[in-house]
Amino acid sequence: MASIAGTSIQYLKGVGPARAKLFASLGVQTIEDLLYLFPRRYEDRSKLTPLSGLKPGEWHTASGEILSKGGRRVFFNKKHVFEVEIGDGDARVQCVWFNQPYLDNYFHVGEKVVVHGRVDVFKNRIQIIAPEYEIISKEDEHLSMGRIVPLYPLTKGMGQRYLRKLVASALEHYGQALVDVIPPKVLERQKLKPISQSIAQLHFPDSEAAQEEANKRISFEEFFFFQVCVILRRMTLGFQKGVSHKIFPDMEKRFSKIFPFVLTRSQVKVIAEIKADMMNKRPMLRLLQGDVGCGKTVVAFFGCLVAITNGKQSAVMAPTEILAEQHFQTFLKYFAKSPFGNVRVALLNSTLKKKDRDALYEAIKNGEVDIVFGTHALIQEGVTFKALSYVVIDEQHKFGVKQRALLSSKGKNPDVLVMTATPIPRSLCLTLYGDLDVSIIEDKPKGRGEIKTYHFVGEQADGVYKRVAEWVVEKKTQAYIVYPIIEESEKLDLKAATDMYAHFQKSEFKKLRVGLVHGRLPREEARQVMEKFQNHEFDILVTTTVLEVGIDVPNANVMVIEHAERFGLSQLHQLRGRIGRSEKNAICILLGDPQTEEGKKRIEAVVKTGNGFKISEEDLKIRGPGQYFGRHQHGLNELKVVNPLTQMDVLEAARKEAVALVNADPQLTTHHLIRTTIHKRYPEYLERVLAG
Ligand code: ADP
Ligand code: MG
């Protein structure tokens, strides 16, 4: 039999060229792809709720015969309502859809239908509003009723029944041709079932337990390959030649004397780690984790000075221009008169005129600039360095692996330090970032005040702004008022920053100086507002999330976050990190009434803990890994079924096996199948890993 990986799905009965196009949009081209198209959820139709047992407020899957149907327009709001009444002999229930008149063509009296949705009561009658629905026909009832039924991700023009039948037929004819790409010994050691059996159970599980076992098998496989790639990449990095920097005598001592404060123990430790890496010929690839405000940035500058004293250049890349500018200013503040001689620094931002920008490009190219600060503009075509040997990337989450690689390619394997203020939970870091070394700053600078966080709802929130005004005056502090968006949006009904800014000046903050900054403000204006706030020419700063990253105003110790329920958990923590940066105590007030369980949990978590690692772990639990890491995060795009948090044991087992395999056979010479599988599933990894 031909390999199913090379066989187009058009070989399946019921798939012509038109359908094949639809499948392509789902990423399915071959029969193997189809078998690897996993259900997005399941419905246990072996035990459907009888219609008499439907409970308002709950989600149910139920089935019945269509007794009647009909559409009409509601007189007062002109909405179209389509209703289907279904019955199962014992009871009758109304299913209702709005503004979908075409449904009339789909439902026919006398047919059997399965519906899934939230049960409601309307005028004392049980209803299901806009349920998912599926007509059951005799011929495929064995696939769609009386069992755990798969529900697939669909695309327009393709229905569940069709896809389910097609997968069943593909399994029947080609299921046995699935190849186990995991070595038999590994399968045995890990007590994993053969792939053909696992894939079959993943589509049509005999029981919940069987589905879980199959899922574990597939997760193991995905993660095993991911790990093999990560480990291989790590190894090849070790073979590459970078710059081995010389460290001048007493460099650390002289560095630490620059600051008006004492470096924390963690900071000293991390500086030693960076130093060792930079002396090594092997390129550094290090992730620097630490809670907001713990002092990562100043530590990162150590590497810049190492580079400069070696006659090389550095680049410091930030996610926003405001932040790039701030790093630039911080650097100037401490190093303008450094004991390391005259340092030539430049800020590359979009406000530069073309003439000036070209001149800057030229200077960077000729080695007349030692450190360049900027955003991703730094990795644009026009920028070439004479001798780039050290790169700092702030806020890992905003940059993808590709961008990271692009920047690295601007020098001869420069040392790279990636900083992140959204710590990755310890338990996950090694498994997901096996290709990075990790440094952690655990302690906060001494003598910082405490941050107290409160959540107020409804009446509790009355008078908050009056109190804020009092604090600001009494404690001579400054305050941030943070909003989720910048313009009034009818839909979300949010008080917009701009409106409130105007309102505040006439009311609560009449006697104070109020500034406004948001994402739509011209850059220069935003910069000026920030500068004024920094210099305490404003007492209050009304702002949107542009504030999130980096802003460093130690005298600001009060923050009110409006509509806190609209922010993500890590985002709230990041925002809060803008206060509590001096010896004074700080206060953070969250306003807003979360309507969802998730929203409640998020706010509870922020009120309860100020520890970034705990927050990240919570966040991961609440949101799941996909959203947590963002779409650009490497690896996780490709992971289809793995949930790193709930499947930690699987991940660790897979990592162990991957390490053993690669150590024994780094070129994969005796593991041809693994090599070809990587080729197929992770082509972009392979380019860099197994080149040649
Ligand atoms: P991060 O990058 O981790 O958010 P920064 O490096 O921006 O933190 O430091 C936050 C603030 O703390 C800055 O004002 C910085 O000058 C100050 N700072 C850094 N290290 C120390 C320290 N050891 N003691 C006191 N203040 C420090
Ligand atoms: Mg910082």
Side-chain angles (χ1 to χ4, degrees), residues 294-311:
C294 69
K296 294 181 295 295
T297 312
V298 294
V299 162
F301 289 154
F302 179 75
C304 297
L305 295 177
V306 173
I308 290 166
T309 47
N310 279 264

Side-chain angles (χ1 to χ4, degrees), residues 129-268:
I129 308 291
E132 285 185 47
Y133 50 86
E134 186 179 318
I135 303 288
I136 305 297
S137 76
K138 266 263 154 341
E139 104 196 77
D140 55 48
E141 197 163 345
H142 64 291
L143 292 178
S144 303
M145 289 303 284
R147 55 157 30 263
I148 298 176
V149 175
L151 290 155
Y152 294 94
L154 294 178
T155 181
K156 216 173 168 200
M158 194 183 291
Q160 290 294 353
R161 285 164 71 198
Y162 166 78
L163 199 52
R164 205 175 294 141
K165 263 197 326 212
L166 196 69
V167 170
S169 138
L171 275 171
E172 188 188 337
H173 294 107
Y174 299 93
Q176 292 307 316
L178 282 162
V179 179
D180 261 305
V181 285
I182 304 271
K185 273 205 187 111
V186 176
L187 288 181
E188 209 176 297
R189 256 198 307 270
Q190 299 296 336
K191 299 192 178 60
L192 295 168
K193 294 262 160 62
I195 190 69
S196 50
Q197 188 181 335
S198 305
I199 293 274
Q201 285 298 317
L202 209 57
H203 287 289
F204 294 101
D206 291 332
S207 65
E208 217 171 295
Q211 191 275 336
E212 267 167 35
E213 200 182 3
N215 185 285
K216 189 175 143 189
R217 167 69 176 84
I218 307 299
S219 300
F220 183 92
E221 182 164 318
E222 278 194 332
F223 208 72
F224 176 79
F225 280 100
F226 177 59
Q227 284 299 306
V228 168
C229 292
V230 163
I231 297 162
L232 281 174
R233 199 163 70 189
R234 177 82 240 202
M235 282 176 90
T236 33
L237 196 68
F239 298 137
Q240 283 165 0
K241 274 202 194 135
V243 181
S244 99
H245 295 85
K246 290 203 180 62
I247 305 290
F248 287 78
D250 283 343
M251 180 108 189
E252 296 108 295
K253 222 192 239 157
R254 282 160 66 190
F255 177 77
S256 62
K257 277 204 189 127
I258 290 172
F259 304 103
F261 44 73
V262 183
L263 293 176
T264 63
R265 262 183 37 210
S266 292
Q267 284 176 314
V268 171

